[in-house]
Amino acid sequence: GKTTLSSDPNRNLIGDDEHGWTNDGVFNFEGGCYAKCVDLSQEKEPQIWEAVKFGALVENTKFHDGTRRINFEDISVTENTRVAYPLNYINNSVEPSVGGIPKNIFFLTADAFGVLPPISKLNPGQAKYQFISGYTAKVAGTEAGVKEPQATFSPCYGQAFLPLHPTTYARLLGELLTKHNVNVWLINTGWSGGPYGVGSRMKLPYTRAMITAALEGKLDNATYTQDPLFGFSIPTEVPGVPTEVLVPRNTWVDKAAYDAKANELATKFNANFNKYSEFADAEMTAAAPKVLQG
């Protein structure tokens, strides 16, 4: 969801993926974007649609028979069709790709278990814990051999690139968050009302509305409830978003099934974190989800 959510005509773009954070601000490492394009349409994602032109590179796609028009609905090769394009293909991109000190940071996940809230506010300990966890879920169609949802964890959302222990980066993040008083939000673009195959994917307009509300300060003085397992703070109202989708348990018909699936995911989080707990501080450890018994 990074490229889709960062391609917004109302905000300037410095990049859709890997960034650095210094004492002066943030900067992008890359200079281009890499977007999923399954079912891409001008209506849903106009900026990405317009970027698919000469100079862009598409992969795993097919054409409409007898034409040079890409058939974005054709997933006969794989559902994981992609397009790469230069950053300046987005009209409101910024050159050079640098920005100021962030006021809000969003962690993105696609929870295929239908458990995590679509938006949560994290305290510093939770931010460090979730950063170390780097959770998302693999689903059928995007990974070879995956038939049902699988939880996957990539510490600091970039395990392959870490020369130091993940807790080192989590501490650095925590120091910057505290120094600059930054809000951290966990955004779940995954499933609601049930797991993959039962529930439905969170609607993109709702996710955009949640991010916009956070950026515009509309959630600063909102009323929050607390998730009983993960401890996240969940806003009770977000402009432009139905209140019933904000608390995941409310969207499930079978509440007992939700509780079981939430416990299952919380257990996976704890098992993954055990690999790093030896070097974790008390604030990180305290942010671990609580598995309910009985």
Side-chain angles (χ1 to χ4, degrees), residues 49-71:
W49 174 272
E50 296 294 338
V52 184
K53 58 186 179 182
F54 185 81
L57 175 67
V58 292
E59 58 185 44
N60 299 326
T61 55
K62 294 290 188 71
F63 293 97
H64 288 282
D65 290 343
T67 76
R68 296 180 62 186
R69 290 186 298 110
I70 299 171
N71 183 354

Side-chain angles (χ1 to χ4, degrees), residues 77-97:
V77 176
T78 173
E79 188 175 324
N80 197 17
T81 55
R82 293 277 187 165
V83 57
Y85 50 87
L87 193 64
N88 60 17
Y89 277 22
I90 300 297
N91 290 333
N92 55 327
S93 62
V94 176
E95 294 185 32
S97 300

Side-chain angles (χ1 to χ4, degrees), residues 12 29 32-33 55 64 85 89 94 125-126 141 150 155 175 193 204-205 213 216 224 226 229 249 274 277:
N12 293 333
F29 283 106
C33 298
H64 288 282
Y85 50 87
Y89 277 22
V94 176
Q126 292 167 346
Q150 294 181 7
E175 290 169 5
L204 179 59
E216 293 181 350
Y224 289 84
Q226 191 173 53
L229 268 70
R249 192 175 189 270
N274 283 339
S277 59

Side-chain angles (χ1 to χ4, degrees), residues 1 12 17 36 44 62 64 81 83 88 92 96 105 112 116 152 159 164 176 179 201 227 234 237 256 261 280:
N12 293 333
D17 205 335
K36 288 185 178 180
K44 292 181 180 178
K62 294 290 188 71
H64 288 282
T81 55
V83 57
N88 60 17
N92 55 327
I105 289 179
L116 298 184
T152 182
Q159 181 174 17
L164 302 178
L176 286 166
K179 178 180 179 180
R201 192 81 188 258
D227 184 280
I234 306 170
E237 292 184 1
K261 189 61 69 175

Side-chain angles (χ1 to χ4, degrees), residues 213 218-219 222-223 234-239 241 243 246:
K218 294 179 180 177
L219 302 182
T223 302
I234 306 170
T236 57
E237 292 184 1
V238 176
V241 181
T243 56
L246 296 174

Side-chain angles (χ1 to χ4, degrees), residues 7-287:
S7 299
D8 189 315
N10 297 316
R11 291 188 286 273
N12 293 333
L13 179 70
I14 66 171
D16 74 328
D17 205 335
E18 297 169 8
H19 294 71
W21 187 357
T22 73
N23 289 327
D24 299 319
V26 294
F27 64 95
N28 178 247
F29 283 106
E30 297 166 309
C33 298
Y34 187 54
K36 288 185 178 180
C37 53
V38 57
D39 293 330
L40 180 65
S41 69
Q42 190 171 19
E43 178 185 7
K44 292 181 180 178
E45 299 177 72
Q47 287 193 306
I48 297 175
W49 174 272
E50 296 294 338
V52 184
K53 58 186 179 182
F54 185 81
L57 175 67
V58 292
E59 58 185 44
N60 299 326
T61 55
K62 294 290 188 71
F63 293 97
H64 288 282
D65 290 343
T67 76
R68 296 180 62 186
R69 290 186 298 110
I70 299 171
N71 183 354
F72 293 111
E73 297 178 357
D74 189 331
I75 55 173
S76 57
V77 176
T78 173
E79 188 175 324
N80 197 17
T81 55
R82 293 277 187 165
V83 57
Y85 50 87
L87 193 64
N88 60 17
Y89 277 22
I90 300 297
N91 290 333
N92 55 327
S93 62
V94 176
E95 294 185 32
S97 300
V98 296
I101 299 294
K103 297 178 180 178
N104 295 275
I105 289 179
F106 299 90
F107 294 164
L108 297 184
T109 186
D111 175 30
F113 294 92
V115 167
L116 298 184
I119 183 169
S120 312
K121 190 172 187 180
L122 308 183
N123 64 36
Q126 292 167 346
K128 291 192 288 185
Y129 182 95
Q130 292 300 318
F131 190 58
I132 291 173
S133 300
Y135 165 71
T136 191
K138 299 177 181 178
V139 296
T142 58
E143 297 282 347
V146 175
K147 304 300 181 184
E148 58 184 31
Q150 294 181 7
T152 182
F153 298 90
S154 180
C156 308
Y157 298 96
Q159 181 174 17
F161 307 105
L162 304 183
L164 302 178
H165 195 276
T167 54
T168 302
Y169 301 103
R171 288 191 186 92
L172 288 172
L173 175 66
E175 290 169 5
L176 286 166
L177 295 177
T178 300
K179 178 180 179 180
H180 299 291
N181 193 28
V182 181
N183 295 319
V184 181
W185 309 87
L186 179 65
I187 300 292
N188 174 23
T189 64
W191 276 256
S192 178
Y196 175 85
V198 177
S200 58
R201 192 81 188 258
M202 184 60 58
K203 294 182 178 179
L204 179 59
Y206 293 167
T207 302
R208 288 195 187 279
M210 295 174 203
I211 290 177
T212 297
L215 289 173
E216 293 181 350
K218 294 179 180 177
L219 302 182
D220 290 350
N221 299 311
T223 302
Y224 289 84
T225 60
Q226 191 173 53
D227 184 280
L229 268 70
F230 290 87
F232 304 146
S233 295
I234 306 170
T236 57
E237 292 184 1
V238 176
V241 181
T243 56
E244 60 267 20
V245 308
L246 296 174
V247 178
R249 192 175 189 270
N250 294 344
T251 69
W252 285 52
V253 174
D254 188 338
K255 309 301 183 188
Y258 171 84
D259 293 339
K261 189 61 69 175
N263 252 10
E264 177 187 339
L265 183 59
T267 301
K268 292 180 185 295
F269 265 88
N270 289 334
N272 173 73
F273 187 75
N274 283 339
K275 295 183 290 185
Y276 314 111
S277 59
E278 181 181 357
F279 299 99
D281 60 36
E283 193 176 40
M284 298 175 195
T285 303

